[in-house]
Amino acid sequence: MTTHAMQPAPPKKIVFWAIWAALSWSVVVYRVFLPGVVGESNSMPAVMMWPFLLVPAAIAIVCRWVVIPKQKQLPQQLVTSIIGLAMAESISFYGLFLFTPQLDLFFVVSLIMVLQFMPIYLITAPADVKDMSRTHA
């Protein structure tokens, strides 16, 4: 008697699109409805902003353009996408709560970083990347 371990079904492509759409929209919503309070009392010095802006942006770029193209399975791509999207979205929070005088800069960078994760890489994936979601009925 052989027992086969139940493996979770790989994510469907719609999951990538839904997560991306929700997080992209949320960056805009944060900017519109949580405008931050501009002032020196709640902001860190501007010289400290660069690591908060560039480090998450660099991690997001590496996730999207280096790691995801090398991954062969959708579950791996989904995890890397979520990590990259989290880094990209964190930039908007840093602008809202730590660097309110530079709020617009943080918003624009965050939005660009999130938009790069649009899952078009699922459509244009190389032939050797298999959509595991079609193998499970």
Side-chain angles (χ1 to χ4, degrees), residues 2-104:
T2 9
T3 58
H4 294 282
M6 294 289 292
Q7 294 181 350
K12 297 190 182 300
K13 291 179 181 180
I14 190 70
V15 172
F16 287 80
W17 285 96
I19 291 170
W20 173 79
L23 293 177
S24 297
W25 179 245
S26 66
V27 169
V28 175
V29 169
Y30 300 149
R31 177 63 184 99
V32 172
F33 294 107
L34 299 173
V37 179
V38 177
E40 293 300 320
S41 62
N42 66 339
S43 296
M44 295 178 74
V47 71
M48 294 181 67
M49 82 175 189
W50 295 111
F52 285 91
L53 185 67
L54 298 178
V55 170
I59 293 170
I61 289 168
V62 168
C63 284
R64 173 56 185 96
W65 300 105
V66 176
V67 179
I68 288 176
K70 291 180 181 178
Q71 294 176 325
K72 303 294 183 207
Q73 295 182 2
L74 288 178
Q76 295 170 333
Q77 291 178 342
L78 181 62
V79 169
T80 306
S81 293
I82 291 171
I83 291 168
L85 283 164
M87 291 290 108
E89 191 171 16
S90 72
I91 296 169
S92 65
F93 290 120
Y94 297 142
L96 281 166
F97 300 114
L98 299 178
F99 302 100
T100 50
Q102 294 85 16
L103 179 59
D104 289 334

Side-chain angles (χ1 to χ4, degrees), residues 27 88-89 91-92 105-115:
V27 169
E89 191 171 16
I91 296 169
S92 65
L105 171 65
F106 278 78
F107 166 70
V108 169
V109 172
S110 179
L111 188 59
I112 290 169
M113 292 297 106
V114 169
L115 290 177

